[in-house]
PDB file of all heavy atoms in Angstrom:
ATOM      1  N   SER A1584     103.710  75.525 102.405  1.00  0.00           N
ATOM      2  CA  SER A1584     102.643  74.925 101.590  1.00  0.00           C
ATOM      3  C   SER A1584     102.598  75.568 100.193  1.00  0.00           C
ATOM      4  O   SER A1584     102.370  74.881  99.207  1.00  0.00           O
ATOM      5  CB  SER A1584     101.321  75.070 102.311  1.00  0.00           C
ATOM      6  OG  SER A1584     100.969  76.410 102.550  1.00  0.00           O
ATOM      7  N   ASN A1585     102.833  76.860 100.106  1.00  0.00           N
ATOM      8  CA  ASN A1585     102.734  77.551  98.828  1.00  0.00           C
ATOM      9  C   ASN A1585     103.966  77.347  97.980  1.00  0.00           C
ATOM     10  O   ASN A1585     103.976  77.666  96.769  1.00  0.00           O
ATOM     11  CB  ASN A1585     102.441  79.038  99.013  1.00  0.00           C
ATOM     12  CG  ASN A1585     100.988  79.296  99.216  1.00  0.00           C
ATOM     13  OD1 ASN A1585     100.283  79.651  98.257  1.00  0.00           O
ATOM     14  ND2 ASN A1585     100.489  79.127 100.414  1.00  0.00           N
ATOM     15  N   LEU A1586     105.042  76.840  98.567  1.00  0.00           N
ATOM     16  CA  LEU A1586     106.214  76.455  97.799  1.00  0.00           C
ATOM     17  C   LEU A1586     106.093  75.064  97.245  1.00  0.00           C
ATOM     18  O   LEU A1586     106.912  74.608  96.442  1.00  0.00           O
ATOM     19  CB  LEU A1586     107.497  76.548  98.685  1.00  0.00           C
ATOM     20  CG  LEU A1586     107.988  77.968  98.960  1.00  0.00           C
ATOM     21  CD1 LEU A1586     109.019  77.923 100.099  1.00  0.00           C
ATOM     22  CD2 LEU A1586     108.603  78.585  97.707  1.00  0.00           C
ATOM     23  N   GLY A1587     105.059  74.316  97.669  1.00  0.00           N
ATOM     24  CA  GLY A1587     104.807  73.005  97.131  1.00  0.00           C
ATOM     25  C   GLY A1587     105.207  71.840  98.036  1.00  0.00           C
ATOM     26  O   GLY A1587     105.117  70.699  97.654  1.00  0.00           O
ATOM     27  N   TYR A1588     105.625  72.170  99.256  1.00  0.00           N
ATOM     28  CA  TYR A1588     105.992  71.123 100.231  1.00  0.00           C
ATOM     29  C   TYR A1588     104.744  70.574 100.931  1.00  0.00           C
ATOM     30  O   TYR A1588     103.743  71.269 101.076  1.00  0.00           O
ATOM     31  CB  TYR A1588     106.969  71.653 101.262  1.00  0.00           C
ATOM     32  CG  TYR A1588     108.323  72.043 100.701  1.00  0.00           C
ATOM     33  CD1 TYR A1588     108.629  73.341 100.323  1.00  0.00           C
ATOM     34  CD2 TYR A1588     109.344  71.072 100.550  1.00  0.00           C
ATOM     35  CE1 TYR A1588     109.871  73.675  99.848  1.00  0.00           C
ATOM     36  CE2 TYR A1588     110.572  71.394 100.031  1.00  0.00           C
ATOM     37  CZ  TYR A1588     110.836  72.719  99.683  1.00  0.00           C
ATOM     38  OH  TYR A1588     112.049  73.047  99.187  1.00  0.00           O
ATOM     39  N   ASP A1589     104.860  69.359 101.398  1.00  0.00           N
ATOM     40  CA  ASP A1589     103.769  68.762 102.150  1.00  0.00           C
ATOM     41  C   ASP A1589     103.687  69.414 103.557  1.00  0.00           C
ATOM     42  O   ASP A1589     104.718  69.619 104.211  1.00  0.00           O
ATOM     43  CB  ASP A1589     103.965  67.250 102.309  1.00  0.00           C
ATOM     44  CG  ASP A1589     103.772  66.531 100.985  1.00  0.00           C
ATOM     45  OD1 ASP A1589     103.056  67.030 100.116  1.00  0.00           O
ATOM     46  OD2 ASP A1589     104.372  65.431 100.824  1.00  0.00           O
ATOM     47  N   VAL A1590     102.486  69.683 103.995  1.00  0.00           N
ATOM     48  CA  VAL A1590     102.260  70.197 105.337  1.00  0.00           C
ATOM     49  C   VAL A1590     101.080  69.459 105.980  1.00  0.00           C
ATOM     50  O   VAL A1590     100.242  68.914 105.272  1.00  0.00           O
ATOM     51  CB  VAL A1590     101.929  71.722 105.324  1.00  0.00           C
ATOM     52  CG1 VAL A1590     103.121  72.542 104.872  1.00  0.00           C
ATOM     53  CG2 VAL A1590     100.696  71.997 104.381  1.00  0.00           C
ATOM     54  N   PRO A1591     101.065  69.345 107.293  1.00  0.00           N
ATOM     55  CA  PRO A1591      99.900  68.670 107.929  1.00  0.00           C
ATOM     56  C   PRO A1591      98.647  69.544 107.737  1.00  0.00           C
ATOM     57  O   PRO A1591      98.685  70.757 107.739  1.00  0.00           O
ATOM     58  CB  PRO A1591     100.325  68.617 109.419  1.00  0.00           C
ATOM     59  CG  PRO A1591     101.288  69.756 109.557  1.00  0.00           C
ATOM     60  CD  PRO A1591     102.050  69.851 108.253  1.00  0.00           C
ATOM     61  N   PHE A1592      97.532  68.815 107.530  1.00  0.00           N
ATOM     62  CA  PHE A1592      96.252  69.533 107.357  1.00  0.00           C
ATOM     63  C   PHE A1592      95.179  68.779 108.101  1.00  0.00           C
ATOM     64  O   PHE A1592      95.056  67.523 108.001  1.00  0.00           O
ATOM     65  CB  PHE A1592      95.870  69.637 105.905  1.00  0.00           C
ATOM     66  CG  PHE A1592      94.585  70.381 105.654  1.00  0.00           C
ATOM     67  CD1 PHE A1592      94.621  71.753 105.454  1.00  0.00           C
ATOM     68  CD2 PHE A1592      93.367  69.715 105.634  1.00  0.00           C
ATOM     69  CE1 PHE A1592      93.434  72.467 105.232  1.00  0.00           C
ATOM     70  CE2 PHE A1592      92.181  70.410 105.423  1.00  0.00           C
ATOM     71  CZ  PHE A1592      92.209  71.772 105.233  1.00  0.00           C
ATOM     72  N   HIS A1593      94.387  69.481 108.925  1.00  0.00           N
ATOM     73  CA  HIS A1593      93.225  68.862 109.532  1.00  0.00           C
ATOM     74  C   HIS A1593      91.966  69.696 109.230  1.00  0.00           C
ATOM     75  O   HIS A1593      92.078  70.907 108.969  1.00  0.00           O
ATOM     76  CB  HIS A1593      93.410  68.753 111.075  1.00  0.00           C
ATOM     77  CG  HIS A1593      93.372  70.076 111.794  1.00  0.00           C
ATOM     78  ND1 HIS A1593      94.474  70.868 111.964  1.00  0.00           N
ATOM     79  CD2 HIS A1593      92.324  70.696 112.386  1.00  0.00           C
ATOM     80  CE1 HIS A1593      94.123  71.956 112.636  1.00  0.00           C
ATOM     81  NE2 HIS A1593      92.846  71.883 112.926  1.00  0.00           N
ATOM     82  N   VAL A1594      90.857  69.040 109.243  1.00  0.00           N
ATOM     83  CA  VAL A1594      89.581  69.747 108.967  1.00  0.00           C
ATOM     84  C   VAL A1594      89.312  70.715 110.133  1.00  0.00           C
ATOM     85  O   VAL A1594      89.233  70.281 111.265  1.00  0.00           O
ATOM     86  CB  VAL A1594      88.423  68.763 108.777  1.00  0.00           C
ATOM     87  CG1 VAL A1594      87.120  69.511 108.606  1.00  0.00           C
ATOM     88  CG2 VAL A1594      88.695  67.844 107.602  1.00  0.00           C
ATOM     89  N   TRP A1595      89.199  71.974 109.823  1.00  0.00           N
ATOM     90  CA  TRP A1595      89.119  73.027 110.830  1.00  0.00           C
ATOM     91  C   TRP A1595      87.678  73.229 111.256  1.00  0.00           C
ATOM     92  O   TRP A1595      86.794  73.406 110.419  1.00  0.00           O
ATOM     93  CB  TRP A1595      89.679  74.304 110.211  1.00  0.00           C
ATOM     94  CG  TRP A1595      89.958  75.430 111.220  1.00  0.00           C
ATOM     95  CD1 TRP A1595      89.039  76.126 111.903  1.00  0.00           C
ATOM     96  CD2 TRP A1595      91.219  75.878 111.604  1.00  0.00           C
ATOM     97  NE1 TRP A1595      89.636  77.059 112.707  1.00  0.00           N
ATOM     98  CE2 TRP A1595      91.008  76.933 112.548  1.00  0.00           C
ATOM     99  CE3 TRP A1595      92.556  75.561 111.256  1.00  0.00           C
ATOM    100  CZ2 TRP A1595      92.054  77.601 113.152  1.00  0.00           C
ATOM    101  CZ3 TRP A1595      93.582  76.258 111.848  1.00  0.00           C
ATOM    102  CH2 TRP A1595      93.352  77.281 112.803  1.00  0.00           C
ATOM    103  N   LYS A1596      87.424  73.259 112.543  1.00  0.00           N
ATOM    104  CA  LYS A1596      86.125  73.552 113.098  1.00  0.00           C
ATOM    105  C   LYS A1596      86.093  75.027 113.528  1.00  0.00           C
ATOM    106  O   LYS A1596      86.575  75.344 114.581  1.00  0.00           O
ATOM    107  CB  LYS A1596      85.814  72.658 114.291  1.00  0.00           C
ATOM    108  CG  LYS A1596      85.850  71.152 113.948  1.00  0.00           C
ATOM    109  CD  LYS A1596      84.782  70.776 112.930  1.00  0.00           C
ATOM    110  CE  LYS A1596      84.798  69.289 112.625  1.00  0.00           C
ATOM    111  NZ  LYS A1596      83.803  68.891 111.574  1.00  0.00           N
ATOM    112  N   ASP A1597      85.564  75.872 112.649  1.00  0.00           N
ATOM    113  CA  ASP A1597      85.577  77.316 112.968  1.00  0.00           C
ATOM    114  C   ASP A1597      84.429  77.676 113.867  1.00  0.00           C
ATOM    115  O   ASP A1597      83.523  76.894 114.081  1.00  0.00           O
ATOM    116  CB  ASP A1597      85.552  78.142 111.634  1.00  0.00           C
ATOM    117  CG  ASP A1597      84.159  78.371 111.172  1.00  0.00           C
ATOM    118  OD1 ASP A1597      83.419  77.409 110.844  1.00  0.00           O
ATOM    119  OD2 ASP A1597      83.730  79.535 111.182  1.00  0.00           O
TER     120      ASP A1597
END
Side-chain angles (χ1 to χ4, degrees):
S1584 59
N1585 276 264
L1586 286 166
Y1588 294 95
D1589 291 334
V1590 292
F1592 182 89
H1593 70 273
V1594 176
W1595 194 290
K1596 302 297 182 183
D1597 87 295

